[in-house]
Amino acid sequence: MPTEQISSLISEQIPHFTEDQIQAFTKEQIYWLIYIQIQALTPQQIPVFTKEQIEKFTSEQIPFFNEKQIQTLTETQILSLTTEQITWFTKKQTQTFTKEQISAFTKEQIQALTPQQITYFMDTQIPYSNEKQIPWFTTEQIQALTPTQISVFTSKQVLAIAEEQIPYFNKKNQSIYTHTNWVIYRRTN
């Protein structure tokens, strides 16, 4: 299909695209998908997109993926998200990330999350970060954590907090700060 025809597809056609048809989209054709076409993609179609296709979705497109579509992103697709794309996820999208998706984030992806996005994570999602990811949090991200988010850190997550991160837990996170100081004291003495 010629690229110029992509924008003329009606939303009713999109759910009928086969795996082969979706994978045949070029990077340029991905760019031309408009919001009603993105919203018409079924959750079953999302995992079919290749790494190269996922990398081509723009800041204007990503916010139009719905929660069910986001939940069907595969680990490979999550890993293919650029740091710029990570910053485009909305509150609703961020709140639908699954355990497997969150634990797949790389250091660069974790550090690309804005402080505002950090506040979007639901308390039930916080334990999904694995202990290797905790030291990757930036100063701004640590300071953005809410007291409730901090209170659901697992013991493995608390133990993974890097010593240099501790001073950045502010007054609202004092309970973990105190607990973390004790943990670090125990580690070093």
Side-chain angles (χ1 to χ4, degrees):
M1 170 182 312
T3 300
E4 58 273 4
Q5 288 183 343
I6 293 293
S7 59
S8 66
L9 292 171
I10 60 172
S11 60
E12 290 79 13
Q13 293 171 297
I14 301 293
H16 301 288
F17 277 32
T18 67
E19 182 174 329
D20 290 340
Q21 288 171 315
I22 289 172
Q23 289 184 339
F25 280 162
T26 66
K27 293 181 268 187
E28 293 74 29
Q29 289 171 326
I30 294 291
Y31 176 82
W32 286 103
L33 289 173
I34 59 175
Y35 78 96
I36 56 171
Q37 295 166 329
I38 291 169
Q39 291 176 333
L41 290 164
T42 69
Q44 295 75 27
Q45 290 172 314
I46 300 301
V48 172
F49 283 96
T50 67
K51 173 186 183 297
E52 293 75 21
Q53 289 172 318
I54 292 290
E55 291 171 349
K56 290 302 171 190
F57 283 102
T58 69
S59 62
E60 290 82 28
Q61 294 170 314
I62 286 183
F64 291 107
F65 283 91
N66 67 42
E67 294 81 18
K68 288 182 180 178
Q69 292 169 323
I70 293 294
Q71 288 182 327
T72 61
L73 287 169
T74 67
E75 183 176 335
T76 301
Q77 289 172 323
I78 290 289
L79 291 171
S80 70
L81 292 168
T82 67
T83 55
E84 187 177 4
Q85 286 173 315
I86 293 288
T87 65
W88 301 330
F89 284 107
T90 67
K91 181 177 184 174
K92 279 186 175 183
Q93 291 171 324
T94 302
Q95 291 178 337
T96 61
F97 283 131
T98 67
K99 178 178 184 173
E100 293 75 21
Q101 291 169 329
I102 292 171
S103 63
F105 283 153
T106 65
K107 180 178 182 177
E108 293 75 19
Q109 290 171 323
I110 291 280
Q111 292 179 344
L113 291 165
T114 68
Q116 185 65 48
Q117 285 174 309
I118 293 294
T119 66
Y120 294 160
F121 283 99
M122 296 184 306
D123 304 338
T124 55
Q125 291 174 295
I126 296 299
Y128 297 165
S129 290
N130 62 52
E131 56 271 12
K132 76 175 184 191
Q133 293 172 318
I134 300 301
W136 299 342
F137 279 71
T138 67
T139 301
E140 294 79 16
Q141 290 170 327
I142 292 168
Q143 292 173 332
L145 289 166
T146 68
T148 309
Q149 287 173 321
I150 292 290
S151 72
V152 296
F153 266 42
T154 67
S155 57
K156 286 182 179 182
Q157 288 172 320
V158 170
L159 289 170
I161 296 171
E163 190 167 352
E164 60 271 9
Q165 290 176 308
I166 292 175
Y168 301 106
F169 285 89
N170 61 30
K171 295 269 187 233
K172 67 181 177 179
N173 298 328
Q174 193 65 41
S175 63
I176 192 84
Y177 178 78
T178 303
H179 179 69
T180 306
N181 271 338
W182 183 84
V183 168
I184 288 176
Y185 172 78
R186 299 288 295 167
R187 273 196 243 162
T188 58
N189 291 319

